[in-house]
Amino acid sequence: MRAYDCDLLILGSGGAGLFAAHHASDVNPNLRILLAAKGLVGKSGCTRMVQGGYNVVLHPDDSLERHFMDTLKGGGYINNQELAWTLVSDAPKRILELEKKMGCFFDRNPDGTIHQKPFAGQSFDRTVHRGDLTGIEIISRLRDQLYARENVTTWDEVRGIDLLIDPDDGCCMGAVLLDIRSGELIAVRATAVIVCTGGPATMYKIAAPSLEKAGDGLAMCYRAGTRFVDMEMMQFHPTGLLAKNSRLNGAVLEEGLRGAGGHLLNARGERFMERYDPVNMERSTRDRVARAEFMEIMAGRGTELGGVYIDVSHLGRDKVLKMFPGMVDRCRDVGRDLSQEPVEVSPTAHFHMGGVVIDKDCATDIPGLYVAGEDAGGVHGANRLGGNGVADSTVFGARAGEAAARYVAEAKARPRVVRTEVLKEIEQRVLQPFDNPDGENPFQVRKELNELMWEKVGLVRDAEGLEAALAKLEELDVRSRSLKVKGGRAFNPAWQESLNLRNLILVARMVATAALTRRESRGSHYRTDYPLTNNDEWFANIFLQAGDSGLRISVEPVRQTRVDVTDLLPKMPNP
């Protein structure tokens, strides 16, 4: 196994990873930074796919407190308040950095100020954007600026396999990586590691994230022993494009379509949101809209492809073409004209609010290990507001980079030796599929996982379905250890899928376990056997961690460190 040494290893090249590299380099321009991307740096990851925009307080009539309370309300009030406050208070600094230092161009008002548009769940129009393709603007500028930093080395198509933990003091000391192009395993020794590889939404049949996402960082952190919070909270975006037999199936049509006045219609042509949120209608929060769509489909009022329609044609063709050129092009790719006709959409697995427990500088309980972006939990509580995602990536990516750079400077310099037996165990596990001539096809097992999670651990859950899912996941976990892979190690899709599958099954078990534990409905988590939010018993966070005999579960009351929201919590109706 080839060896490589650096000061800071960053896994992931989305907004969090790129911002981490920039800010770590700012702290110490001589820091040896290695940034590894499972795809291509600046061409993969989910930040690049952001369409809607970036929530930030800029207008004098808006306030940090207002954005903070919107974020708590959207999250069912179970957010980590310190993380939520950090998000809203750092966002103005990051948006100005993006514009003035990185060179991003955002849409502007006639008076020259940055334009901010409405988004669901926001009490003020605070979403900064670049048309409807904001993520491409941000990632492209971050990538271009990164190449000017001589102390940053970037590796394309290199995935993380496992973190390396020093058995003597418990510190993170690097990771084993896999070069997808050559099939070579690499042991990287680093004083600090930042994990920001993205979420696990691809465990579902219909999903929005980039295809390489497989919960790799979450699985690596679990095996290393970190704690996780609120893993049951998986967000389903209401408007995933339905495209039969297409890779675009599940791709998001941005939230601004609803914010601009788009209508959601069932197969009968009814604006069904009148039944679920007559006040906010289509501008209700993502969890409520997605669940309403699911209910309409299950009631037999869905479209031919099993979805509903989004219609913006009444806004006028010229306006739609001007406001949403990217979305028009995306629909045109599947033979639909968004500017002139309704387009079929479905809820699509989109964003995971749960994740690794961190502090406001992204430190975990393992010294030297930092986690940022969608791999981290607590910021968004039970539901993320649209526009808060890319703010999360940039805010906490910057903090992770700065904190990791400081840690490297302060860490006691001593040689760390990676034990040979540890590397051999990792290598044996990773190469195992090549030794199973009678094993199963990983793509078939992945299909079973996707169907299972969609049906049993999706938008609508109950105890019977969750218990059945956990039993099936245990079976899939056993089967995933005897998958069959043929051919060589270089660019082997089946091998990569076998690695994806084992990570996804591990994370899926955490999601299903937490969902079974939370006996109420809140935010994105909805149970038909406990359909009400029960703040008397479940105003709490659920923590998970690997134990000697499986998952250790603890339930702890929400810590109200900044504002007491007790009087804002809805009460259970009298029996």
Side-chain angles (χ1 to χ4, degrees):
M1 192 180 297
R2 179 160 67 94
Y4 186 93
D5 288 351
C6 61
D7 297 314
L8 173 60
L9 169 63
I10 302 173
L11 298 176
S13 69
L18 295 183
F19 246 88
H22 278 291
H23 278 251
S25 184
D26 285 342
V27 170
N28 182 359
N30 297 316
L31 203 66
R32 295 173 303 160
I33 301 172
L34 171 61
L35 186 147
K38 191 176 180 182
L40 302 177
V41 174
K43 297 291 186 180
S44 58
C46 290
T47 305
R48 193 174 188 277
M49 301 171 71
V50 169
Q51 301 155 5
Y54 187 123
N55 292 339
V56 57
V57 175
L58 297 177
H59 197 280
D61 293 338
D62 198 6
S63 70
L64 297 179
E65 290 75 16
R66 195 169 179 178
H67 188 187
F68 177 63
M69 293 308 298
D70 285 346
T71 300
L72 294 188
K73 182 180 179 181
Y77 296 106
I78 66 169
N79 318 56
N80 179 307
Q81 292 190 4
E82 294 305 310
L83 296 181
W85 179 256
T86 300
L87 172 75
V88 304
S89 59
D90 278 13
K93 292 178 283 188
R94 297 288 77 82
I95 204 74
L96 293 177
E97 179 183 0
L98 281 168
E99 187 175 49
K100 297 182 182 300
K101 184 177 180 180
M102 302 300 176
C104 291
F105 291 91
F106 299 116
D107 287 10
R108 310 195 81 81
N109 297 310
D111 64 0
T113 56
I114 295 178
H115 181 259
Q116 294 179 276
K117 64 182 179 181
F119 245 35
Q122 303 285 342
S123 63
F124 193 88
D125 296 352
R126 62 169 66 96
T127 307
V128 171
H129 62 107
R130 171 69 165 172
D132 60 350
L133 297 173
T134 308
I136 290 178
E137 176 70 15
I138 291 174
I139 288 295
S140 297
R141 303 295 177 180
L142 288 174
R143 178 202 60 196
D144 293 348
Q145 295 287 354
L146 191 67
Y147 289 141
R149 296 183 181 270
E150 296 181 357
N151 65 319
V152 179
T153 299
T154 59
W155 286 356
D156 290 327
E157 295 182 313
V158 175
R159 67 182 294 167
I161 296 296
D162 263 324
L163 296 169
L164 296 171
I165 306 298
D166 192 319
D168 296 326
D169 60 9
C171 293
C172 187
M173 55 182 290
V176 173
L177 310 184
L178 172 61
D179 185 333
I180 296 172
R181 295 176 177 178
S182 67
E184 179 185 31
L185 287 165
I186 309 164
V188 177
R189 289 193 303 181
T191 306
V193 177
I194 300 174
V195 173
C196 42
T197 63
T202 54
M203 67 176 67
Y204 291 93
K205 178 177 68 172
I206 302 176
S210 53
L211 296 177
E212 79 276 5
K213 297 302 173 192
D216 297 332
L218 294 169
M220 292 168 64
C221 288
Y222 175 86
R223 290 190 287 265
T226 61
R227 295 182 80 208
F228 292 80
V229 62
D230 296 335
M231 290 295 284
E232 71 277 18
M233 298 302 178
M234 175 66 68
Q235 182 180 86
F236 292 81
H237 196 289
T239 49
L241 180 64
L242 283 183
K244 192 173 183 180
N245 298 324
S246 169
R247 287 286 192 181
L248 281 174
N249 195 55
V252 167
L253 295 183
E254 73 122 318
E255 190 140 339
L257 294 170
R258 292 186 289 120
H263 295 166
L264 290 172
L265 310 172
N266 61 24
R268 300 175 182 175
E270 300 167 333
R271 285 184 70 185
F272 57 85
M273 284 306 299
E274 292 178 351
R275 283 193 280 271
Y276 303 94
D277 189 347
V279 175
N280 296 300
M281 294 290 286
E282 286 86 1
R283 288 182 64 177
S284 186
T285 54
R286 288 177 174 178
D287 58 313
R288 300 180 79 176
V289 177
R291 196 156 50 246
E293 292 177 352
F294 187 81
M295 297 295 192
E296 289 294 302
I297 296 164
M298 291 300 100
R301 296 188 288 271
T303 65
E304 182 180 350
L305 294 180
V308 296
Y309 292 108
I310 187 165
D311 186 11
V312 293
S313 61
H314 58 278
L315 301 178
R317 187 170 188 272
D318 291 343
K319 184 176 181 179
V320 173
L321 291 174
K322 181 179 179 180
M323 293 180 66
F324 306 107
M327 299 304 95
V328 171
D329 287 344
R330 178 163 293 179
C331 293
R332 187 178 292 128
D333 287 340
V334 297
R336 309 296 295 184
D337 187 347
L338 181 67
S339 68
Q340 292 187 295
E341 62 180 337
V343 172
E344 286 180 87
V345 294
S346 162
T348 180
H350 182 55
F351 186 92
H352 195 200
M353 282 72 67
V356 178
V357 174
I358 61 168
D359 67 14
K360 65 181 182 180
D361 288 324
C362 301
T364 69
D365 47 9
I366 296 177
L369 176 61
Y370 299 81
V371 176
E374 197 176 350
D375 290 301
V379 180
H380 307 289
N383 184 45
R384 175 177 68 78
L385 295 181
N388 273 1
V390 68
D392 178 343
S393 296
T394 57
V395 164
F396 290 101
R399 282 182 165 264
E402 293 173 5
R406 292 193 299 268
Y407 175 87
V408 171
E410 298 167 1
K412 293 180 180 179
R414 69 178 184 85
R416 294 185 182 272
V417 179
V418 183
R419 295 183 179 180
T420 303
E421 60 268 25
V422 172
L423 297 180
K424 284 185 176 180
E425 188 278 329
I426 294 173
E427 183 177 39
Q428 183 180 15
R429 172 166 51 84
V430 170
L431 296 179
Q432 184 185 33
F434 290 101
D435 299 325
N436 298 327
D438 299 322
E440 292 188 76
N441 184 324
F443 294 101
Q444 179 59 42
V445 180
R446 171 71 175 271
K447 183 178 180 182
E448 290 185 45
L449 172 68
N450 292 157
E451 294 281 355
L452 174 71
M453 294 302 290
W454 185 260
E455 294 175 7
K456 305 293 188 184
V457 200
L459 287 95
V460 175
R461 305 160 172 175
D462 60 37
E464 181 181 0
L466 292 167
E467 289 168 352
L470 283 166
K472 182 67 174 179
L473 285 168
E474 186 173 349
E475 175 200 319
L476 293 177
D477 184 48
V478 172
R479 291 164 60 189
S480 73
R481 299 172 192 277
S482 58
L483 299 171
K484 176 178 62 178
V485 170
K486 296 180 179 180
R489 289 163 60 169
F491 274 126
N492 188 320
W495 185 29
Q496 299 305 319
E497 184 71 335
S498 73
L499 299 173
N500 291 341
L501 185 59
R502 292 188 69 171
N503 287 341
L504 285 172
I505 291 172
L506 190 160
V507 179
R509 294 178 78 173
M510 286 197 282
V511 172
T513 298
L516 184 60
T517 302
R518 185 177 288 278
R519 295 185 297 276
E520 66 156 358
S521 293
R522 185 185 299 267
S524 62
H525 170 70
Y526 183 80
R527 287 185 54 165
T528 55
D529 47 354
Y530 295 98
L532 300 178
T533 299
N534 184 350
N535 286 301
D536 294 334
E537 298 180 39
W538 286 101
F539 183 53
N541 300 112
I542 297 174
F543 295 90
L544 301 177
Q545 191 170 19
D548 294 335
S549 58
L551 280 171
R552 293 206 311 263
I553 307 168
S554 62
V555 179
E556 301 176 15
V558 173
R559 297 178 62 210
Q560 302 186 69
T561 56
R562 285 194 168 265
V563 59
D564 187 341
V565 299
T566 304
D567 291 340
L568 301 177
L569 302 176
K571 303 299 181 184
M572 288 282 285
N574 293 324

